[in-house]
């Protein structure tokens, strides 16, 4: 069970969170303005990094914060937590 | 709804488990600054730190459970009064909201020297007195279900566990098992989660 | 009377408490404090079972978890199998038998495997048993494989508890290093958990160590007493740290917890800020021909039997060693009255050792090696090659081997935070933390002297408490006598004289040095491949004693240093752990929650059969009356709704209260249809997609007043929808100012439906007008019914006039009772999900798990008309359009009428062209016997289905072909006049 | 290739088994090959074998960063089955089963293929509907998946408890008689031996660290820790590591890698004959020929390459195990491990050319042990002919650009 540094609560057990996957590029403001390939790439492609990547977590059973975690997917080591405490991102 | 249920008997751990009488309960949600302003406007205090609770006049309690979440509770008799006041205050905010959630939850009290041993069977949260000081209140997980755990300032040796009512029978059964009372729950049959 | 091998005095056993037990039918006696192994040896029993593959006689090798296979089967009490005799506490009245032996270890029929052994090198089975086929041979092989036989219905079901724990410092191992570490941390006021798999003290008792000029036990007792008395310390004796997971999360199994006599096990899941691994070291054997004979043991185990258990494992002992600690074992044996010969592989063991042996009358052959053992059920002699090659045959009844010490680094590597390196000095592997999350101390870190172990333990304790911000006290460590701890160059195995000889390198897997040779010869050129080809290290001891020898030998065969060979991966559990201990009390009603509505008790009292309706909610399936099966009941309930009125419990429907200026934009992004213009008091059915253009959920959202909306999700999708909303607001559109309060359980929902629904509602005494004009379809009224505050939504999922009456749960039962009373004169029936299903299919409403299976979009389901023509974007729009543009041929929702009206079609039945055994062109998503039409009706998804109305298509059900007519997907109230009445 | 048989065993016994030859050679690495296959797991080796056998292409090297078969092939719970819903999935996996049935003889290597059948216990009506739908779809194409009553399940899995107090009610069963298990390591070794004997080279401890590109942007070879290897075609069979390797060529794929774990008990005498599957709780159990129970559950909920133990997932699996088999409470776990498996966006496999010329992928195999023979057959066809094999036309990468997902009902959670 990972120990996840919540910006609001401090380090908390993984069981309280939902992992929402790697941080993707932002959703195009106007999806119609991007080409088909760019759109489907945005949807289905994942960097799926072996090593350090950024991912989103939702502290659903704790304080409700969303946070971005920098984690090494090969070791689970957590390198940083880029989220400001409180509020939405 | 009736008063508190009778204490259950425990065998393995010295604990007393009780289902508490319901309190009026309100969820407040919104931007942190709005919520704090709303509490002030309602004449209610804000807890000193995150994940803790503070009492106010008339046995009103304010739990600060998340950046966008407060829970205000009060004796059931004052449900309408407190609810009305909160409604009035929140009506003045465009995006901060309050909802009466009295009936959503059931609260259990776990008291006695074995209380932490019973809770630790279900929650990965550290409820030790150093990390979870009196007046602490936080959302966490208990036996796979989201709950709010509190260490009341009035009786720091006990814990309050508040759980969504639909899960109350399950949590009650687990507390009973964890206390080592050896009673055998029949699966499928709910444990009167609407008892009382 | 004391058994034969029991020493007259000494040991940590309670001679006042003799315990009788049986092994393979023999009545034996031991003492409280014995393990089964020590009691067996005390009774002169060395043969405990038969080996895994070859059924060779096997005995006790170790004195703790490191033993490679002295497994016994417990018949009484608590029937269980594969119990390790060296860690199993002796109990009065135990009845034990050997494993993998029939009828007994002494006379085992399977032993004929030995005669085949020449044919059976490692993995021989890959090379044969191909004709006529493996299935001809497999049953026999399976019968011979496996060790113990799991007890049948009477199998022991241990009572267990699983719990979390938290501490500043977890100390794994309570030998001198661990005790010193724990003491420092405890005195610093840190929260400490000290775990040891035996009684505390580690090797001190077994080694007969002296501390402060007294038996070490005194010091241990004092430290343990202090730690027990310290409030911030938790002592876990007879407990094993069995896994070290990410972020300093450790799993510990506590056996027979003292604070809870009703428990057999407690599994701890501990988050430690600091971890100190002081797990000691495991002695490694030296292998030679027939080194698996009973009576051939590790020297450290022999010492433990003599010093700790006061049993003498043999009267005529050979100690085959290349370590100084082997000499210590010889002295212990001699002091206990055995005649001892040391065979020291080192040419120069050191004059001190030689003199000491001489003084005790112990013969010592330096530069010599044991190369073969004799005896079958117990060792009777060994051949020794002397320094200059001369052969001696020495009679004996015990061989103790000591080939060096392997630090117990297993745990340290579980967590991927350690670097493993080879220590030339030790001839073993060491682990080194790569970040500061844990420390190793004592023998686990390669220190063999007690003084160093104590000091390093204290140092580790200090560092750990300082790392958590405490000030560490200095403590006084006991004085030790310096003991020699020399180790000679490794001797992994003594080469056998003949090729037929078997030199066992992994006793629990029956792996020999020849097997290793074969593997390397065949090109299995890495230690991991050798492991898998020969199974070395895969047996019940997971290579605890033999692995390093295997690595050394493979290195020799491949001309590589052990450092280059490396270890295999150590994995949890550190020792085998009962599954029961891991799961704790989680079973039956405690496996997962069932969620209940306030009405569950009413339903049960009225005979409802309950089932899960999604997200663990329990809802009535049907309410059978006398003599009714489920289908009868469901049909009756559905008919009651069509003809009069029914009521169902709709409480679990997901509910979210939304407020804020961003809500209209949120809803417009969320749903395919337009919501921004929704007026207060009105509701709208909406469908939401995932961004890849497939249906996520559907439901009705109401605008309660100017500021608030109430969004309904389907029962099973509530969590998914909640996360979807949160994702939009936190990731995609943080600019939208919206608050969400989940209020699912804040309302109980009794839904009345049927042509008489309005009459029933009126009879409930509402304080608002219920006529169709003032209270039209898709609107909400807030008010009171019979004085109870209520919110009534006029929506329908049944194809009938319908009202969802929402009240606070505290009123739910009363309101429901009043509905039943008010409806009595119309013959109201409570209805369950089965009747609901019939009604939905008749009305052509889609349902989750049937038509909505995660693969279709709104157009597919005939809801294309809902899709907003004006919005430039909503979640899923771009994808849905893209997909349809590239491939307009889609499965489409249709109604299906089986040509034989009495013929039900199984839900899920594939539709194929003309019913041929060919690719599917659709499937039957739902099929019921309609109460409105009195015939079988179905919904289905059919390729280009809407254009095929009027055609006959065919379901193929295991070769049976069912013709069906394609019709519009609505069988009742096609113009929705009843719903909107 | 040295023939294996009882006679050759007996003959070798006379020379104390010192006459056995290497199972695969270890030739020097050449600077160039026609085709380089990256990853010597089951899929890579099977592909190499089929290139040689069906297409007479032997200028092929399989390069492996670790030891042969040490990826998921070493870690999987060796279940082979064909119970799918979509026509193309059923056909593909059925073909694989048929290839497995002949593999021991074809490769002259006993892979311990054992058709013990799989028995699903169904504990919810929605699952029953799902499986019944699969069952009827499978009947269109050959493999059997029979709905049976609960007594039949008890007869087939007598070790089950009575489930009187079970949280989920036992409703029915589904029996898949063709389902089998085979010794996982032996599958890799047998293909290695067969491919090697047909001239393919296998190079262990050779890790791809980059790609060589031609002037036209095509992949022209790979960089490795042992130097550059030129190749006309590079075929990835790198299981959980595919995103990582593809990224070296600048290619992104619709994949997420997660940890899938399994564990074994101590060996005991036979208690379970069939592959017992419990889809409602996400648990399956079988007993290997050595006697240990092999147990698996669901994948970890987070992206992970850690090959370890996600404790909550593991504990859920154990709790479910004991709910169904209370007598296993006193049985001990011997070892627990994990593998990094990758899930495609639609949770179906990918066997395809890529937008980069000369670069091919076979991936998405979170349950791809069963597909090793047919995966190799079809991947080899694609590599050799440039066109997809008829059995694998549904598994091309371009289905994602058209958002034409291949969705097996019940697996949509991946999206
Ligand atoms: C616990 C578990 C249980 C499973 N159970 C089943 C089951 O019951 N049935 C089933 O059908 N499937 C099962 N699977 C899935 C199955 O194991 C895999 O789908 C299958 O083994 C994949 O084979 P492969 O050859 O693609 O991968 P692998 O065997 O993993 O081979 C890929 C190889 O590529 C190598 N590689 C990676 N990167 C590089 C590089 N840069 N350079 C060189 N080489 C590289 C790796 O080292 C590895 O050896 C299970 C998986 C796991 C983890
Ligand atoms: N003379 C020699 O050559 C020699 C060699 C080795 C050890 N020793 C002696 O042994 C002692 C070593 O001291 P130490 O404290 O480092 O080790 P130790 O062996 O005394 O104690 C380690 C303890 O940890 C326990 N343990 C191991 N793994 C565990 C786990 N996963 N969970 C719970 N408990 C676990 C062991 O059973 C043991 O009780 C010293 O007295 C040393 O002199 C001497
Ligand atoms: C089907 C199967 C059966 C296994 N049986 C055993 C076993 O009996 N004993 C054992 O130690 N390991 C067994 N293993 C696990 C391996 O030892 C090893 O953990 C696995 O191949 C993963 O490799 P790693 O642990 O080196 O990373 C088995 C693995 C599989 C896939
Ligand atoms: Zn938080």
């Amino acid at each position: 069970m990972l120990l996840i540094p919540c910006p609001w609560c401090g380090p908390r057990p993984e069981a309280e969170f939902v992992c929402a996957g790697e941080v993707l590029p932002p959703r195009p403001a106007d999806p119609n303005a991007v080409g088909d390939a760019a759109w489907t790439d945005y949807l289905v492609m994942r960097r799926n990094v072996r090593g350090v990547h950024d991912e989103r977590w939702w502290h659903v059973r704790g304080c409700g914060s969303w946070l971005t975690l920098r984690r090494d997917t090969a070791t689970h080591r957590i390198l940083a937590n880029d989220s400001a405490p409180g509020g939405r991102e | 709804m009736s008063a508190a249920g009778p204490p259950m008997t425990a065998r393995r751990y010295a604990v007393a488990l009780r289902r508490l009488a319901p309190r009026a309960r309100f969820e407040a949600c919104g931007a942190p600054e709005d919520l704090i302003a709303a509490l002030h406007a309602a004449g209610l205090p804000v807890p000193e730190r995150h994940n803790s609770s503070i009492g106010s006049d008339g046995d009103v309690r304010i739990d600060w459970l998340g950046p966008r979440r407060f829970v205000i509770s009060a004796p059931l008799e004052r449900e309408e009064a407190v609810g009305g006041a909160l409604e009035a205050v929140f009506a003045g905010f465009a995006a901060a909201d309050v909802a009466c959630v009295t009936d959503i939850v059931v609260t259990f009290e776990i008291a006695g020297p074995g209380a932490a041993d019973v809770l630790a069977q279900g929650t990965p949260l550290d409820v030790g007195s150093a990390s979870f000081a009196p007046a602490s209140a936080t959302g966490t997980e208990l036996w796979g279900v989201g709950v709010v755990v509190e260490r009341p300032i009035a009786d720091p040796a006990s814990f309050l566990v508040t759980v969504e009512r639909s899960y109350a029978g399950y949590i009650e059964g687990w507390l009973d098992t964890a206390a080592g009372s050896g009673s055998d729950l029949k699966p499928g049959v709910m444990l009167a989660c609407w008892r009382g | 009377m004391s058994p034969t091998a029991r020493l007259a005095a000494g040991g940590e056993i309670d001679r006042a408490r003799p315990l009788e037990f049986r092994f393979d039918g023999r009545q034996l006696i031991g003492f409280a404090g014995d393990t089964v192994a020590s009691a067996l040896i005390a009774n002169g029993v060395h043969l405990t079972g038969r080996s895994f593959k070859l059924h060779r006689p096997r005995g006790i090798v170790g004195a703790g978890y490191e033993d490679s296979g002295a497994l016994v089967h417990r018949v009484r009490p608590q029937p269980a199998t594969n119990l390790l005799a060296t860690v199993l506490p002796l109990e009065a009245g135990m009845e034990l038998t050997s494993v993998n032996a029939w009828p007994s270890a002494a006379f085992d029929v399977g032993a004929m495997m030995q005669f085949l052994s020449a044919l059976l090198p490692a993995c021989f089975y890959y090379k044969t048993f191909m004709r006529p086929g493996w299935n001809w041979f497999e049953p026999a092989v399976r019968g011979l494989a496996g060790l113990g036989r799991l007890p049948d219905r009477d199998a022991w079901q241990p009572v267990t508890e699983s719990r979390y724990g938290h501490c500043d410092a977890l100390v794994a191992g309570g030998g001198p290093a661990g005790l010193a570490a724990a003491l420092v941390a405890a005195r610093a006021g840190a929260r400490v958990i000290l775990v040891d798999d035996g009684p505390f003290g580690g090797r001190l008792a077994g080694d007969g160590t002296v501390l402060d000029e007294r038996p070490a036990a005194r010091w241990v007792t004092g430290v343990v007493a202090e730690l027990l008395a310290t409030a911030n310390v938790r002592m876990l004796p007879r407990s094993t740290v069995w896994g070290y997971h990410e972020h300093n999360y450790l799993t510990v199994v506590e056996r027979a917890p003292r604070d809870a006599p009703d428990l057999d096990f407690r599994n701890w899941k501990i988050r430690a800020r600091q971890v100190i691994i002081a797990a000691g070291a495991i002695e490694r054997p030296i292998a030679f021909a027939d080194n698996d004979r009973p009576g051939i043991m590790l020297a450290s185990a022999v010492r433990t039997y003599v010093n700790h258990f006061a049993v003498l494992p043999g009267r005529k002992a050979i100690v085959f060693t290349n370590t100084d600690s082997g000499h210590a074992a010889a002295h212990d044996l001699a002091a206990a009255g055995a005649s001892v010969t040391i065979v020291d592989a080192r040419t120069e063991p050191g004059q001190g050792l030689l003199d000491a042996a001489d003084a005790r009358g112990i013969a010592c052959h330096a530069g010599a090696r044991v190369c073969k053992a004799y005896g079958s059920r117990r060792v009777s002699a060994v051949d020794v090659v002397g320094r200059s090659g001369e052969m001696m045959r020495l009679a004996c009844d015990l061989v103790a081997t000591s080939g060096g010490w392997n630090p117990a680094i297993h745990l340290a590597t579980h967590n991927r935070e350690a670097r493993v390196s080879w220590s030339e000095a030790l001839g073993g592997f060491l682990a080194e933390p790569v970040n500061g999350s844990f420390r190793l101390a004592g023998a686990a870190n390669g220190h063999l002297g007690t003084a160093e172990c104590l000091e390093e333990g204290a140092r580790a304790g200090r560092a750990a408490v300082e790392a958590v911000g405490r000030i560490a006290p200095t403590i006084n460590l006991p004085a030790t006598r310096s003991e020699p701890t020399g180790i000679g160059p490794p001797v992994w195995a003594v080469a056998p004289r003949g090729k037929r000889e078997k030199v066992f390198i992994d006793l629990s897997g029956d792996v020999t040095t020849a097997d290793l040779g074969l593997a390397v010869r065949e090109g299995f050129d890495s230690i991991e491949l050798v492991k898998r080809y020969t199974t070395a290290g895969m047996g019940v001891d997971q290579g605890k004693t033999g692995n390093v020898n295997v690595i050394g030998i493979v290195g020799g065969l491949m001309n590589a240093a052990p450092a280059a060979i490396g270890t295999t991966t150590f994995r949890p559990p550190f020792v085998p752990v009962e599954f029961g201990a891991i799961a704790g009390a989680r079973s039956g009603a405690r496996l997962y929650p069932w969620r209940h509505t306030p009405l569950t008790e009413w339903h049960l009292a009225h005979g409802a059969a309950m089932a899960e309706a999604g997200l663990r909610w329990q809802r009535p399936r049907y309410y059978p009356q006398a003599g009714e099966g489920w289908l009868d009941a469901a049909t009756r309930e559905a008919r009651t709704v069509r003809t009069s009125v029914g009521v169902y419990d709709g409480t679990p429907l997901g509910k979210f209260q939304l407020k804020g200026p961003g809500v209209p934009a949120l809803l417009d992004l969320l749903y395919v249809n337009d919501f921004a213009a929704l007026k207060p008091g009105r509701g709208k059915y909406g469908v939401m997609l995932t961004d890849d253009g497939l249906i996520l959920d559907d439901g009705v959202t109401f605008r309660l007043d100017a500021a608030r909306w109430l969004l309904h999700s389907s029962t099973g999708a509530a969590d998914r929808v909640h996360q979807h909303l949160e994702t939009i607001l936190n990731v995609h559109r943080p600019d939208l100012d919206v608050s969400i309060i989940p209020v699912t359980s804040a309302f109980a929902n009794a839904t009345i439906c049927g042509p008489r629904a309005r009459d029933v509602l009126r009879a409930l005494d509402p304080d608002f007008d219920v006529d169709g004009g003032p209270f039209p379809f898709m609107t909400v009224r807030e008010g009171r019914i019979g004085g109870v505050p209520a919110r009534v939504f006029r929506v329908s999922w049944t194809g009938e006039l319908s009202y969802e009456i929402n009240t606070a749960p505290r009123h739910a039962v009363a309101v429901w009772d009043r509905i039943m009373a008010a409806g009595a004169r119309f013959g109201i029936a409570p209805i369950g999900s089965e009747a609901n299903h019939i009604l939905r299919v008749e009305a052509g409403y889609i349902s989750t798990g049937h038509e909505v299976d995660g693969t279709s979009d709104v157009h597919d389901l005939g809801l294309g008309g809902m899709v907003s023509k004006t919005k430039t974007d909503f979640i899923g729009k771009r994808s849905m359009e893209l997909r349809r543009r590239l491939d307009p041929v889609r499965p489409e929702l249709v109604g299906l009428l089986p040509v034989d009206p009495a013929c039900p079609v199984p839900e899920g039945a594939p539709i194929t062209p003309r019913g041929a055994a060919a690719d599917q062109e659709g499937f039957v998503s739902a099929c019921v016997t309609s109460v409105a039409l009195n015939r079988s009706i179905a919904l289905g998804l059919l390729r280009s289905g809407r254009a095929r109305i009027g055609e006959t298509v065919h379901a193929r059900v295991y070769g049976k072909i069912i013709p069906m007519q394609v019709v519009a997907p609505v069988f009742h109230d096609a113009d929705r006049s009843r719903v909107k009445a | 290739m040295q023939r294996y048989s009882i006679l050759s065993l007996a003959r070798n016994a006379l020379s104390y088994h010192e006459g056995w030859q290497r199972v695969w050679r270890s030739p020097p690495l050449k600077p160039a090959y026609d085709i380089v296959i990256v990853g010597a797991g089951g899929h890579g080796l099977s592909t190499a074998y089929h290139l040689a056998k069906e297409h007479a292409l032997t200028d092929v090297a399989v390069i492996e960063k670790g030891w042969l078969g040490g990826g998921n092939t070493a870690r999987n719970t060796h279940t082979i089955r064909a119970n799918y819903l979509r026509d193309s999935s059923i056909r593909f996996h059925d073909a694989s089963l048929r290839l497995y049935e002949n593999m021991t003889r074809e490769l002259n290597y006993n892979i311990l293929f054992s058709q013990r059948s799989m028995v699903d216990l169904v504990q919810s009506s929605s699952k029953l509907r799902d499986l019944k739908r699969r069952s009827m779809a499978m009947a269109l194409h050959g493999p059997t998946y029979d709905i049976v009553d609960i007594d039949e399940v008890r007869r087939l899995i007598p070790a089950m408890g009575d489930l009187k107090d079970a949280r989920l009610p036992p409703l029915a069963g589904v029996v898949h008689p063709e389902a089998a298990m085979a010794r996982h390591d032996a599958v890799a070794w047998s293909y290695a031996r067969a491919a090697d004997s047909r001239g393919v080279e296998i190079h262990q401890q050779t890790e791809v660290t980059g790609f060589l590109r031609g002037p036209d942007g095509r992949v022209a070879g790979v960089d490795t820790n042992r130097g550059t290897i030129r190749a006309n075609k590079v075929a990835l069979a790198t299981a959980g590591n595919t995103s990582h390797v593809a990224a070296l060529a600048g290619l992104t794929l619709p994949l997420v890698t997660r940890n899938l774990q399994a564990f074994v008990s101590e060996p005991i005498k036979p208690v379970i004959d069939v592959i017992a599957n419990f889809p409602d709780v996400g648990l399956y159990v079988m007993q290997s020929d050595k006697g240990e129970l092999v147990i698996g559950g669901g994948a970890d909920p987070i992206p992970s390459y850690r090959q370890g133990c996600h404790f909550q997932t593991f504990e859920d699996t154990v709790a479910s195990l004991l709910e169904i088999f209370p007598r296993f409470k006193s049985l001990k776990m011997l070892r627990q491990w994990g593998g990094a498996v990758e899930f495609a966006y639609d949770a179906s496999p990918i066997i395809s050319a890529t937008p980069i010329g000369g670069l091919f992928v076979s991936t998405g195999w979170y349950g791809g042990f069963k597909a090793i023979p047919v995966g190799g057959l079809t991947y080899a066809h694609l590599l050799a002919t440039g066109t997809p094999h008829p059995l694998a036309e549904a598994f091309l990468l371009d289905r994602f650009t058209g958002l034409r997902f291949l969705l097996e009902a019940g697996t949509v959670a991946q999206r």
Side-chain angles (χ1 to χ4, degrees), chain A residues 8 12 15-16 61 63 87-88, chain B residues 50-51 65 67 138-141 144:
Chain A
W8 212 74
R12 298 283 288 246
E16 295 174 355
R61 285 180 175 169
C63 67
R88 293 186 167 140
Chain B
H50 296 177
N51 291 343
L65 297 178
T138 183
T140 183
E141 179 181 274

Side-chain angles (χ1 to χ4, degrees), chain A residues 6 8-9 12 17 59 62-65:
Chain A
C6 171
W8 212 74
C9 306
R12 298 283 288 246
F17 297 81
H59 198 184
C63 67
S65 293

Side-chain angles (χ1 to χ4, degrees), chain A residues 50, chain D residues 37-45 63-81 84 93 100 188 203 205-210 223-225 236-242 244-245 248 258-263 284 286 295-297 307 337-342 362-372:
Chain A
R50 188 190 77 195
Chain D
I37 297 173
V38 188
H43 278 276
L45 293 166
I63 62 174
E64 164 58 51
K65 75 176 159 74
W67 43 282
L68 185 144
N72 292 329
T73 302
R75 291 152 208 287
N76 87 92
T77 49
H78 57 38
T79 303
I80 302 160
R81 55 181 176 82
Y84 285 79
H93 288 104
Y100 260 123
H203 297 282
Q205 312 298 340
T206 309
E207 176 167 10
V208 169
T209 53
D223 292 324
T224 76
N225 56 330
L236 303 188
T238 42
N241 207 27
T242 309
H244 179 82
V245 181
L248 300 172
R258 285 156 71 192
N259 182 55
L260 184 61
Q261 54 182 312
F263 48 97
Y284 55 92
M286 74 208 81
I295 302 159
Q307 302 192 330
W337 68 93
V341 294
E342 52 207 10
S362 168
T363 178
W365 299 115
Y366 64 91
F369 176 71
K370 60 172 102 67
I372 284 173

Side-chain angles (χ1 to χ4, degrees), chain C residues 52 80 82-83 100 118-119 121 125-132 134 138 142-153 155-158 162 242 245-246 249 251 269 415-416 499-500 518 521-526 528-529 531-533 538-540 542 569 571-573 576-580 582-583 586-589 591-594 690 692 694 849-850 853-855 879 882-883 886-887 906-910 912 917-920 923 956 958, chain D residues 4-6 9-10 13 16-18 20-24 67-68 74-75 85-87 91 104-105 108-110 112-114 116 129 132-133 135-137 139-141 145 147 158 160 165 167-168 181 183 185-186 189 204 263 265-273 281 287-291 295 306-309 311 314-316 318-323 326-338 345 401-405 407 412 415:
Chain C
F52 185 58
N82 289 354
L83 301 169
N100 206 28
L119 269 179
Y125 33 81
Y126 297 141
K127 297 193 175 92
T128 181
F129 298 143
M130 294 186 245
R131 276 165 205 284
W134 171 233
E138 193 186 24
R142 280 174 86 87
L144 280 173
L147 287 165
R149 188 174 299 282
L150 191 70
D152 210 338
R153 299 291 156 194
W156 177 43
Q157 293 189 17
S162 166
W242 63 264
H245 315 276
E246 73 282 347
Y249 191 59
T251 42
K269 297 169 278 187
N415 184 22
R416 314 283 193 289
K499 293 187 172 170
R500 207 187 292 273
L518 176 64
R521 190 174 313 124
E522 292 196 276
F524 293 88
D525 52 4
S526 80
E528 296 285 8
L529 282 168
K531 161 184 154 172
R532 284 163 179 82
Y533 194 58
M538 296 177 79
V540 288
Q542 289 285 290
T569 304
R571 294 231 178 233
V577 174
E578 286 78 1
F579 286 120
I582 296 167
R586 254 188 95 177
S587 70
L591 187 64
Y592 299 113
W594 279 151
T690 41
D692 56 12
L694 302 174
H850 291 267
D853 67 353
T855 69
S879 296
L882 171 69
R883 183 184 297 113
L886 295 179
D887 189 0
E907 292 187 345
T912 65
D919 283 9
Q920 305 162 65
F923 77 105
R956 185 183 174 96
Y958 309 113
Chain D
Y4 291 163
S5 69
I6 184 76
L9 258 179
Y16 305 99
H17 299 287
E18 286 180 357
W20 293 111
Q21 293 165 10
R22 295 183 65 96
V23 178
W24 59 85
W67 43 282
L68 185 144
R75 291 152 208 287
L85 173 66
R86 304 292 168 194
D87 301 305
R91 259 198 302 270
T104 285
R105 288 203 194 175
N108 177 235
Y109 198 106
N110 185 357
L112 312 187
F113 179 76
S114 171
R116 325 193 59 80
R129 198 168 52 233
K132 194 156 181 197
R133 185 173 166 201
S135 156
M136 292 182 283
L140 301 174
H141 300 290
Y145 200 40
I147 313 285
M160 254 173 26
D165 290 338
R167 175 92 300 196
L168 299 171
M181 56 198 219
R183 191 71 197 166
D185 296 322
W189 299 337
Q204 301 182 78
F263 48 97
S265 75
E266 292 185 338
I268 50 172
K269 296 290 176 211
V271 289
I272 292 192
D273 268 351
V281 291
Q287 191 164 14
S288 85
D289 287 339
K290 288 207 335 273
I295 302 159
R306 197 168 189 261
Q307 302 192 330
C309 168
F311 199 79
F314 165 72
E315 197 186 68
D316 284 351
V318 175
S320 301
L321 173 75
L322 299 182
E323 170 92 343
R327 61 192 283 228
F328 292 172
K329 283 185 186 168
S330 70
L331 184 65
K332 283 174 267 148
M333 169 166 80
L334 179 62
R335 188 176 175 97
Q336 187 282 339
W337 68 93
Y345 184 82
T401 43
L403 301 179
R404 282 174 283 113
F405 305 139
L407 293 165
V412 288
R415 299 182 298 126

